[in-house]
Amino acid sequence: MIDSLDFAKVMADETRQRIMALLCCRWLCVGDIVGEMQGISQPTVSHHLAVLRDAGLVHTRRDGKQVFYSLNQDEVAVCCGRILRNFAPQVPVAAISVSE
Amino acid sequence: MIDSLDFAKVMADETRQRIMALLCCRWLCVGDIVGEMQGISQPTVSHHLAVLRDAGLVHTRRDGKQVFYSLNQDEVAVCCGRILRNFAPQVPVAAISVSE
DNA sequence: GCCACATATTGACCGACATCGATATGTAAG
DNA sequence: CTTACATATCGATGTCGGTCAATATGTGGC
């Protein structure tokens, strides 16, 4: 349960957002993530996964030697709801464009 | 029109979020903002207002010697919508808690 | 014009964090 | 239990950005 500030800090990194995009709607193990992130070392990916894990923004599952991650979309939605409540209280929910 | 990454970077600072909260639903001039932000100097406040202005997250109005700012809630909502679209596409909009 | 006030910009400093190589930990196979 | 592989942690380095004092710019009054 992170607040708006911590959520923003976690999101405020390009590498992390790339990893989040990779993990959206699917499970990937660390090795596969490293494979998709050209130019980023394994320790760096592992570091970012730890940040995301500590923030509760990813799900984790171990399978043998591999550890799989996937994005916790519900938590993302909760954090966005918190930002909207704090900083856009007068905008009707229906007006928030989610499609396209 | 900033993307998810720049939006997160702008939001990822406590001082900026405090200023944004002050400017939510009302106009304040720089002097009044400085007055509310104890421990933060006028140049620092001005710097953060410039960041918010460049990001399009505040409205600006000059009145004589004073410059007034207020939060651009619509832009906040647009940016949150973008995050939801990118990182929570499978969460129904109705499930996003905005109240309370 | 000059002065007083409000805000913005500049330049320097410092802390936070992203990144890496090296190494440690964990796990399964043989 | 040793080896090989997958992931995590450590320590060092470099960069980015928040902060301030000092100064510049802008605005209205006289």
Side-chain angles (χ1 to χ4, degrees):
Chain A
M1 259 314 179
I2 58 176
D3 60 15
S4 297
L5 181 58
D6 288 329
F7 175 67
K9 287 182 178 176
V10 171
M11 298 282 299
D13 182 80
E14 183 178 7
T15 304
R16 227 136 47 209
Q17 285 208 10
R18 284 172 60 200
I19 292 174
M20 289 175 70
L22 286 175
L23 297 179
C24 194
C25 312
R26 61 176 172 172
W27 290 86
L28 285 182
C29 71
V30 180
D32 289 339
I33 300 171
V34 173
E36 300 267 3
M37 305 281 300
Q38 65 263 48
I40 304 294
S41 70
Q42 178 270 322
T44 297
V45 169
S46 193
H47 161 70
H48 287 302
L49 288 172
V51 172
L52 292 169
R53 183 169 8 97
D54 292 345
L57 290 175
V58 287
H59 298 119
T60 301
R61 172 168 58 84
R62 173 177 279 279
D63 185 7
K65 284 188 275 193
Q66 313 190 91
V67 179
F68 288 81
Y69 289 87
S70 85
L71 189 60
N72 184 351
Q73 299 190 28
D74 290 329
E75 188 62 22
V76 172
V78 167
C79 290
C80 282
R82 195 173 291 123
I83 293 177
L84 289 169
R85 184 170 3 117
N86 291 340
F87 302 114
Q90 295 175 326
V91 177
V93 199
I96 298 164
S97 149
V98 179
S99 57
E100 213 230 328
Chain B
M1 258 316 179
I2 56 176
D3 59 15
S4 297
L5 181 58
D6 288 329
F7 176 67
K9 286 183 179 177
V10 171
M11 298 283 300
D13 182 78
E14 182 177 7
T15 304
R16 225 136 50 208
Q17 286 208 10
R18 282 172 62 199
I19 292 175
M20 290 175 70
L22 286 174
L23 298 178
C24 193
C25 311
R26 61 175 172 172
W27 289 87
L28 286 181
C29 70
V30 179
D32 289 339
I33 299 171
V34 173
E36 301 267 3
M37 304 281 299
Q38 65 264 42
I40 304 293
S41 72
Q42 178 269 323
T44 297
V45 169
S46 193
H47 162 70
H48 287 302
L49 289 171
V51 172
L52 293 169
R53 181 166 13 94
D54 291 346
L57 290 175
V58 288
H59 297 119
T60 302
R61 172 168 58 85
R62 174 176 278 279
D63 185 7
K65 283 187 279 193
Q66 313 191 93
V67 178
F68 288 81
Y69 288 86
S70 85
L71 189 61
N72 185 351
Q73 300 189 27
D74 290 329
E75 186 63 21
V76 172
V78 166
C79 290
C80 282
R82 195 172 291 123
I83 293 176
L84 289 169
R85 183 166 7 112
N86 290 340
F87 303 114
Q90 296 175 325
V91 177
V93 200
I96 298 163
S97 149
V98 178
S99 58
E100 212 230 329

